[in-house]
């Protein structure tokens, strides 16, 4: 498409860009809003004992959705899986929002996870098929920017809706907001990205689908074991690992775990960055509440600046000068991520100002903005047209698997060293009391491994460039 089209908001791409960015915006709002309403929902449904499964059900089934989307996109384009994913996502929200029992609520989250997996991979394939290479970094930056406003106002809006109208409306209101973006997006999407790829449709690989089921089951068992840190939990943990390891080896590009140059290292880097940072970020509010006495609201707001710096890092990588230095930018980004993770637990010292954690997270988020968007751009650059779906699925699978494995491992370390757990308390004082017994060493046991993993990412970043 000629330059005269004016970029991603030019006449040729405007409707599609606004549509897919709106979908990302809704997903981002759901991610920040649902977490706010979840404790109240579990309490009202008398299902606090199943609280953790409301989260793990989503992540587990999303792995299956990712692999299915990769196969589907490489056979007929991203239009159908994107529409199906949005439909499943909305159906899951409706199931959870109308649930009268907790098991139905968890089932809704599982359906929603399948939809989320389909959508994220289909969006990546859409970018690959509908936009020229010069515009892809800008689209990825727009995806990152779509998370800024939900990260800041999502919990506030969800909290207000929960208090004034009830928790169900947090789940029931989002599907209605999806109608307009879908209507705007589908016509240009059909014109630009429907049908099989230029090289022809790839045949359905049933082996990959079997591996996807094995990985999903393994992930579910591993998460279950991580939520019940007893010796008996080693049995489901071992069974989960036995399913996940061969499944991951079969689903990820060959050479991923030995950092082979090019695409395998891109996929590995995504998992390293996402896993290390998400683990570190997940424990920030808990640490600030239990160790420094902040309210739950103030602890959550400490992460708000990170959304803006993440978008800023993503914007930086989208500038024209960045293309020639993309691999180097990823390394610098991982150095910032490592520094942010390593500096965060300094707030365990009373002499260190509490805002240090917010600054450290903002630095890490800037690095993540550079790394996540750049690895997405590199993946699409290194993928053949008929492999964009499978490779995009592998990238997202690496992201999801690393989150599950590192969260389970660090969560077990945290619990073993005297870490507490936030109960479904409604007030900040109750929540703070529930975690007051957490030992500072438990937090150190989380952040040191996370920083080590991030540092390993900085070291292997030099292998991102494919051999010529």
């Amino acid at each position: 498409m000629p330059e005269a089209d004016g970029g991603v908001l030019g006449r040729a791409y405007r409707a599609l860009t606004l549509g897919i960015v709106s979908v990302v915006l809704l997903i981002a709002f759901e991610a920040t809003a649902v977490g706010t309403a979840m404790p109240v929902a579990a309490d009202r449904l008398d299902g606090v004992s199943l609280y953790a499964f409301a989260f793990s059900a989503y992540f587990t089934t999303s792995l299956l959705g990712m692999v299915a989307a990769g196969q589907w996109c490489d056979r007929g384009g991203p239009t159908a899986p994107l529409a199906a994913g949005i439909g499943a996502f909305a159906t899951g929200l409706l199931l959870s929002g109308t649930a009268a029992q907790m098991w139905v609520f968890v089932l809704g989250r599982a359906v929603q996870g399948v939809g989320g997996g389909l959508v994220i991979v289909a969006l990546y394939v859409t970018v690959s098929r509908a936009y020229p290479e010069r515009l892809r970094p800008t689209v990825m930056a727009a995806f990152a920017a779509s998370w800024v406003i939900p990260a800041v106002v999502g919990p506030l809006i969800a909290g207000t809706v929960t208090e004034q109208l009830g928790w169900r409306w947090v789940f029931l209101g989002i599907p209605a907001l999806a109608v307009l973006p879908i209507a705007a997006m589908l016509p240009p999407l059909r014109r630009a990205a429907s049908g099989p790829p230029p090289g022809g449709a790839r045949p359905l690989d049933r082996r990959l689908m079997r591996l996807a089921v094995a990985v999903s089951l393994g992930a579910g068992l591993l998460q279950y074991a991580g939520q019940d840190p007893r010796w008996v939990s080693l049995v489901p943990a071992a069974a989960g690992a036995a399913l996940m390891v061969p499944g991951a080896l079969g689903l990820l590009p060959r050479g991923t775990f030995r950092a082979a140059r090019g695409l395998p290292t891109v996929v590995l880097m995504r998992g390293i960055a996402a896993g290390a940072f998400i683990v570190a970020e997940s424990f920030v509010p808990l640490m600030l509440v239990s160790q420094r006495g902040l309210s739950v609201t103030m602890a959550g707001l400490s992460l708000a600046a990170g959304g803006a710096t993440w978008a800023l890092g993503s914007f930086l990588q989208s500038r024209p000068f960045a293309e020639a230095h993309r691999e180097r930018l990823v390394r610098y980004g991982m150095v910032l991520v490592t520094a942010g993770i390593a500096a965060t637990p300094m707030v365990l010292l009373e002499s260190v100002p509490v805002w240090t954690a917010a600054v450290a997270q903002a630095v890490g988020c800037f690095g993540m903005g550079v790394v996540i968007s750049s690895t997405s751009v590199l993946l699409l650059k290194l993928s053949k047209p008929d492999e964009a779906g499978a490779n995009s699925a592998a990238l997202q699978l690496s992201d999801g698997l690393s989150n599950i494995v590192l969260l389970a491992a660090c969560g077990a370390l945290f619990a073993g060293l005297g870490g507490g757990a936030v109960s479904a308390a409604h007030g900040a004082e109750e929540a703070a009391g529930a975690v007051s017994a957490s030992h500072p060493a438990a937090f150190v046991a989380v952040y040191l491994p996370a920083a080590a993993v991030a540092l390993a990412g900085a070291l292997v970043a030099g292998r991102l460039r494919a051999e010529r």
Side-chain angles (χ1 to χ4, degrees):
M1 196 64 63
E3 296 283 346
D5 288 326
V8 297
L9 291 178
R11 182 178 55 194
Y13 302 108
R14 185 182 301 121
L16 180 59
T17 299
L18 293 177
I20 61 176
V21 169
S22 296
V23 171
V24 176
L25 184 68
L26 289 173
I27 292 174
F29 181 77
E30 182 275 340
T32 56
V34 165
T36 302
M38 197 82 78
V40 179
D43 181 62
R44 298 293 187 271
L45 295 173
D46 194 25
V48 174
S49 61
L50 297 176
Y51 179 78
F53 290 102
F55 289 98
S56 61
Y58 180 96
F59 292 119
T60 300
T61 57
S62 69
L63 299 176
L64 183 61
M66 291 170 189
V67 179
Q71 294 272 300
W72 199 347
C73 288
D74 285 342
R75 286 173 60 81
T79 306
L82 184 58
I86 293 172
F89 195 81
T91 299
L93 285 167
L94 292 173
L95 270 175
S96 294
T98 57
Q101 295 177 300
M102 190 63 182
W103 71 267
V104 179
F105 183 91
V106 173
L107 175 63
R109 292 288 290 165
V111 173
Q112 192 183 341
V114 173
L118 288 170
V119 167
I120 190 63
V121 172
L123 285 175
Y124 272 62
V125 178
T126 296
V127 175
S128 173
R129 295 274 295 271
Y131 295 88
E133 188 174 320
R134 66 181 177 84
L135 294 180
R136 292 172 190 167
T138 305
V139 180
M140 294 301 172
F143 285 178
S146 298
W147 284 80
V148 176
I149 295 177
V152 175
V153 305
L156 179 62
I157 294 175
T160 302
V161 171
T162 299
E163 292 176 2
Q164 300 300 321
L165 300 176
W167 65 267
R168 295 183 184 277
W169 288 103
V170 175
F171 293 85
L172 297 176
I174 295 174
L177 298 176
V179 175
L180 186 59
I182 295 173
M185 175 182 59
L186 287 181
L189 180 61
R190 290 194 188 98
R191 291 193 298 269
S194 61
R202 302 183 74 183
L204 177 66
D205 193 331
R206 300 184 186 279
R207 173 179 167 274
L208 290 183
M209 294 308 302
R210 289 194 296 270
L211 291 174
V213 172
V215 165
S216 297
L217 290 175
L221 288 170
L222 195 62
Q223 290 175 86
Y224 173 79
Q227 292 157 13
D228 187 19
R230 296 181 297 165
W231 286 111
V232 70
S233 298
L234 291 176
V235 175
L243 288 169
M244 281 183 62
V245 172
L249 289 172
L251 291 171
L252 300 179
R254 182 174 297 178
T256 295
F257 294 106
R258 57 181 175 83
R261 285 192 172 275
L263 182 66
T265 296
V266 172
V267 173
L268 176 64
M269 181 64 67
R270 181 58 161 264
I272 288 174
F277 188 79
I278 294 302
V279 165
E281 185 183 51
S282 298
F283 283 84
V284 170
L286 185 61
M287 181 168 59
L288 294 179
V289 169
S290 64
Q291 302 300 309
R292 297 304 295 267
L294 267 66
S295 68
V296 174
T297 301
M298 290 301 298
L301 287 175
S302 69
L303 303 176
T309 58
W310 189 308
L312 183 61
S314 186
F315 173 78
L316 174 68
Q317 67 77 39
S318 72
R319 298 299 85 199
F321 79 88
E323 193 57 42
H325 310 286
R326 190 162 299 283
E327 292 84 1
R328 190 178 301 172
L329 279 175
V330 172
R331 169 168 286 175
Y332 293 157
M334 286 306 302
V335 170
L336 292 176
V337 172
T338 304
I341 294 173
T344 299
M346 290 175 60
V347 296
L348 292 169
L349 302 173
E350 289 291 336
S351 59
V352 175
V354 73
W355 49 259
T356 302
V359 174
Q361 286 294 296
V363 170
C365 282
F366 181 86
M368 286 294 288
V370 173
V371 172
I372 295 300
S373 294
S374 289
T375 51
S376 300
V377 172
L378 285 169
L379 178 107
L380 297 180
K381 182 179 180 179
L382 295 172
S383 298
K384 298 176 182 178
D386 63 338
E387 296 176 345
N391 290 343
S392 296
L395 190 77
Q396 298 301 325
L397 193 68
S398 177
D399 187 318
L401 286 175
S402 66
N403 287 340
I404 291 168
V405 171
L406 287 175
L407 277 171
C410 290
L413 285 173
F414 181 76
L417 289 173
V422 178
S423 69
H426 295 293
E429 293 182 0
E430 292 177 78
V435 296
S436 60
S438 297
H439 195 281
F443 292 101
V444 175
V446 169
Y447 284 94
L448 283 182
V453 170
L455 181 60
L459 296 176
V460 303
R463 303 183 62 81
L464 288 167
R465 190 181 297 276
E467 290 181 334
R468 300 188 183 279

